[in-house]
Amino acid sequence: MKSRLKLILPTLIFFILLSNSYSQTDDIFKNLKIGKSYKIYLFSEKEYIGVLVSQTEKEITIKSGNKSITIEKENIFEISTDTSPSEYKFLATLNIGTLAGNPNSGNSSNFLLNGRFSYFYSDKKNIGGDLSVIFLKKAYSNGYYGYNGYIENAGNESYQNQTYVDLLANAQLGTFNVRNNIEVYLNLGFGIHTQYLSSYTSIYYSYIDTGLIYSTTPSSFTVYPLFQIGGGFLVKPSKYLGINVEMDLKFYSFDYVIVPTEGYVPFKLGVSYFLF
């Protein structure tokens, strides 16, 4: 008797689950109306959008553009009346931020603007252009100098303005999907990093010369290769809009071509807009 129960119970459970799955599958076809537009997801992750032309017990036929497409019901995962595409085509992002690690000691302020425009060449991957402009202000202390070197701070400072411009070919690999509320992505890029350093004048009083010494450092402009790796996430209040938080590592000077020697860490917050 016990052995029979052991066989009967799993069999009953199997048929209950099977009947439920069929009923759930049938439910998605109950309210379909001829002449109405639908978006159809298949188990194979393909997607079709079109107007329902006909429906039989085993298949449905839709018209998409000038084509008629017949789909077997057993291959259909979901049917939706929301006919907007489920794959993004473009992503535009605007960020503001700061450098989490100052590239030079003595920087009293830094601020960055960042813009990016990307094209999705697959549903989870995009490639595009990335432009960052970073404004820094570096303070240099003035002081007294004598026979024994630096004596004390003179009480005032000289300032140098620095402007960095980063132009990158940027790629993102992420979880991108219209139905997601949160997206997570990896950020990669390479390009050029430019630095413009303004001239500044330092003032010292020398006990040796018994007078003020003015030392002027001329302005400079330098171009470096740049490599970027980082990541971030998007919180999406709608399928079109995302709040973007991102942190990257940027390296712009290299020894022996491959060993990075200079870099900084930008932290960014912004808004992203998805286009279909």
Side-chain angles (χ1 to χ4, degrees):
M1 183 69 178
K2 289 183 178 179
S3 60
R4 288 182 180 179
L5 285 174
K6 289 180 180 178
L7 291 172
I8 292 171
L9 286 174
T11 304
L12 286 173
I13 292 170
F14 172 77
F15 279 109
I16 289 169
L17 292 173
L18 189 62
S19 63
N20 284 340
S21 65
Y22 275 116
S23 64
Q24 289 169 4
T25 303
D26 291 341
D27 284 344
I28 67 174
F29 303 105
K30 278 183 179 179
N31 299 319
L32 296 183
K33 296 180 180 180
I34 303 298
K36 190 171 181 179
S37 295
Y38 295 98
K39 179 164 58 179
I40 300 167
Y41 301 97
L42 305 187
F43 285 103
S44 63
E45 297 188 354
K46 286 186 178 180
E47 173 187 300
Y48 296 100
I49 298 175
V51 176
L52 183 64
V53 175
S54 64
Q55 177 179 192
T56 66
E57 185 179 344
K58 292 186 177 181
E59 60 187 26
I60 66 171
T61 301
I62 63 171
K63 187 173 183 180
S64 179
N66 296 322
K67 295 181 180 179
S68 291
I69 303 169
T70 299
I71 307 167
E72 293 184 2
K73 287 184 175 180
E74 63 181 14
N75 296 327
I76 296 174
F77 172 71
E78 184 181 348
I79 298 177
S80 173
T81 56
D82 179 3
T83 57
S84 61
S86 62
E87 293 183 2
Y88 297 120
K89 289 186 178 179
F90 300 98
L91 175 60
T93 299
L94 182 63
N95 291 312
I96 61 172
T98 187
L99 302 189
N102 287 334
N104 299 303
S105 61
N107 280 304
S108 58
S109 64
N110 65 76
F111 174 76
L112 71 86
L113 291 171
N114 170 253
R116 183 167 56 235
F117 189 81
S118 304
Y119 164 73
F120 283 90
Y121 63 91
S122 78
D123 58 344
K124 308 293 183 185
K125 303 172 186 176
N126 66 54
I127 189 168
D130 185 296
L131 176 65
S132 293
V133 183
I134 304 165
F135 304 95
L136 304 103
K137 191 174 184 180
K138 185 174 181 179
Y140 293 89
S141 296
N142 298 321
Y144 296 105
Y145 276 77
Y147 290 105
N148 296 321
Y150 185 79
I151 304 299
E152 61 178 295
N153 193 292
N156 57 12
E157 294 179 319
S158 297
Y159 294 94
Q160 181 188 48
N161 293 314
Q162 303 181 357
T163 304
Y164 298 173
V165 177
D166 296 339
L167 183 60
L168 290 160
N170 187 82
Q172 291 180 315
L173 294 77
T175 60
F176 302 108
N177 190 293
V178 173
R179 290 179 285 179
N180 290 346
N181 293 321
I182 297 177
E183 309 284 10
V184 181
Y185 60 87
L186 176 68
N187 212 30
L188 301 171
F190 68 92
I192 59 171
H193 168 81
T194 66
Q195 290 186 3
Y196 172 74
L197 311 181
S198 69
S199 63
Y200 69 96
T201 300
S202 299
I203 306 172
Y204 304 98
Y205 180 83
S206 173
Y207 286 105
I208 300 173
D209 299 322
T210 63
L212 294 175
I213 297 176
Y214 294 84
S215 176
T216 300
T217 302
S219 62
S220 64
F221 179 79
T222 316
V223 180
Y224 299 93
L226 178 68
F227 175 75
Q228 171 183 273
I229 183 170
F233 65 91
L234 283 157
V235 178
K236 293 159 60 182
S238 76
K239 62 185 177 183
Y240 295 100
L241 189 66
I243 307 302
N244 183 67
V245 179
E246 183 178 313
M247 187 171 71
D248 299 304
L249 300 175
K250 289 189 174 183
F251 304 102
Y252 63 85
S253 181
F254 300 87
D255 278 346
Y256 308 107
V257 181
I258 59 173
V259 181
T261 58
E262 300 286 346
Y264 55 94
V265 183
F267 178 81
K268 294 174 277 188
L269 174 67
V271 177
S272 293
Y273 188 77
F274 293 91
L275 295 93
F276 294 93

